[in-house]
Amino acid sequence: QQQVKQSPQSLIVQKGGISIINCAYENTAFDYFPWYQQFPGKGPALLIAIRPDVSEKKEGRFTISFNKSAKQFSLHIMDSQPGDSATYFCAASGGGGSNYKLTFGKGTLLTVNP
Amino acid sequence: DVKVTQSSRYLVKRTGEKVFLECVQDMDHENMFWYRQDPGLGLRLIYFSYDVKMKEKGDIPEGYSVSREKKERFSLILESASTNQTSMYLCASSPVLATGTSVYEQYFGPGTRLTVT
């Protein structure tokens, strides 16, 4: 059972464009929704995260939009740059107990063309 | 900076061999995790540990075991490697606050690409 569904699997954007990656979750106990960025040959690194008490969080060119009723959240990369080319993973966690573990989406390979 | 190191970047083993993947973190984190990453499947949790000598199964524990004898070190063991265990293996750690609450953010190592032939 896949608890976090991510789309698209791959995305090609021109430099300066907007990249949008979407995720949907099923477990209403989740209360932490991070996005991880992974460059080739590296481990994933936290990019930005949101909790369900807000609908949007912005850090520089990266924004998470969160829709609790629809159980969806998305990553928007404004003014996309070739250096943003990487694999992006959404994840979710929460519910107390040992549920600090993260459940990841399958990833989106973003290519930003110069 | 938090540093999570993995013993090998690349490893080639034969079917049936016992394989040890080592992970060390230098930030005194309580929680440690092992994932495997496969194209199109994302990151899947194999095992995690929230304290020395404590472990819990993740989503895909079959064919794997783990050992955590010291806080900073978490080992993944493939008892009898098989070709379907060819994958990228990622180790991660996360801290626990003084309040006892686990921090969700995980810090990842660079990964070990294991090939089983």
Side-chain angles (χ1 to χ4, degrees), chain A residues 14-63:
Chain A
Q14 292 300 120
K15 179 182 176 182
I18 302 173
S19 304
I20 302 174
I21 305 170
N22 300 298
C23 282
Y25 64 97
E26 299 166 3
N27 187 347
T28 55
F30 287 149
D31 63 358
Y32 173 76
F33 302 90
W35 285 90
Y36 279 76
Q37 180 187 53
Q38 183 182 30
F39 293 108
K42 304 284 188 182
L46 179 67
L47 180 64
I48 187 172
I50 197 169
R51 292 201 180 259
D53 53 343
V54 297
S55 61
E56 186 175 284
K57 183 174 182 180
K58 185 175 182 179
E59 289 184 3
R61 295 184 294 108
F62 300 90
T63 300

Side-chain angles (χ1 to χ4, degrees), chain B:
Chain B
D1 273 355
V2 176
K3 194 160 186 182
V4 179
T5 56
Q6 296 183 230
S7 52
S8 305
R9 294 301 304 270
Y10 300 92
L11 207 54
V12 179
K13 295 292 182 180
R14 291 192 181 276
T15 302
E17 278 192 84
K18 190 169 186 176
V19 181
F20 292 87
L21 302 182
E22 305 287 340
C23 175
V24 176
Q25 50 93 5
D26 67 357
M27 284 301 292
D28 202 37
H29 286 175
E30 286 76 11
N31 305 318
M32 296 188 75
F33 308 82
W34 274 108
Y35 295 88
R36 64 177 283 175
Q37 180 178 7
D38 300 288
L41 297 179
L43 280 70
R44 294 180 291 167
L45 182 65
I46 304 172
Y47 267 98
F48 65 103
S49 169
Y50 50 90
D51 201 352
V52 175
K53 296 191 187 294
M54 306 304 288
K55 61 185 179 183
E56 283 196 29
K57 293 180 180 179
D59 301 317
I60 52 164
E62 297 79 19
Y64 303 95
S65 62
V66 291
S67 172
R68 193 167 180 200
E69 297 296 320
K70 292 185 178 181
K71 189 176 184 180
E72 67 272 17
R73 187 179 298 270
F74 192 33
S75 302
L76 180 68
I77 303 158
L78 287 65
E79 295 289 342
S80 178
S82 64
T83 55
N84 63 13
Q85 292 178 311
T86 291
S87 186
M88 170 69 81
Y89 290 89
L90 290 162
C91 175
S93 70
S94 69
V96 173
L97 300 176
T99 56
T101 304
S102 286
V103 173
Y104 289 135
E105 178 178 358
Q106 294 181 15
Y107 299 85
F108 283 83
T112 295
R113 184 165 294 282
L114 172 67
T115 302
V116 183
T117 61

Side-chain angles (χ1 to χ4, degrees), chain A residues 46-102:
Chain A
L46 179 67
L47 180 64
I48 187 172
I50 197 169
R51 292 201 180 259
D53 53 343
V54 297
S55 61
E56 186 175 284
K57 183 174 182 180
K58 185 175 182 179
E59 289 184 3
R61 295 184 294 108
F62 300 90
T63 300
I64 298 180
S65 297
F66 185 80
N67 186 329
K68 188 174 181 178
S69 61
K71 293 188 286 185
Q72 294 176 348
F73 59 110
S74 59
L75 176 69
H76 296 236
I77 306 175
M78 309 300 289
D79 188 27
S80 299
Q81 299 297 313
D84 297 330
S85 297
T87 300
Y88 292 81
F89 294 96
C90 63
S93 186
S98 64
N99 288 321
Y100 49 85
K101 56 183 180 176
L102 293 171

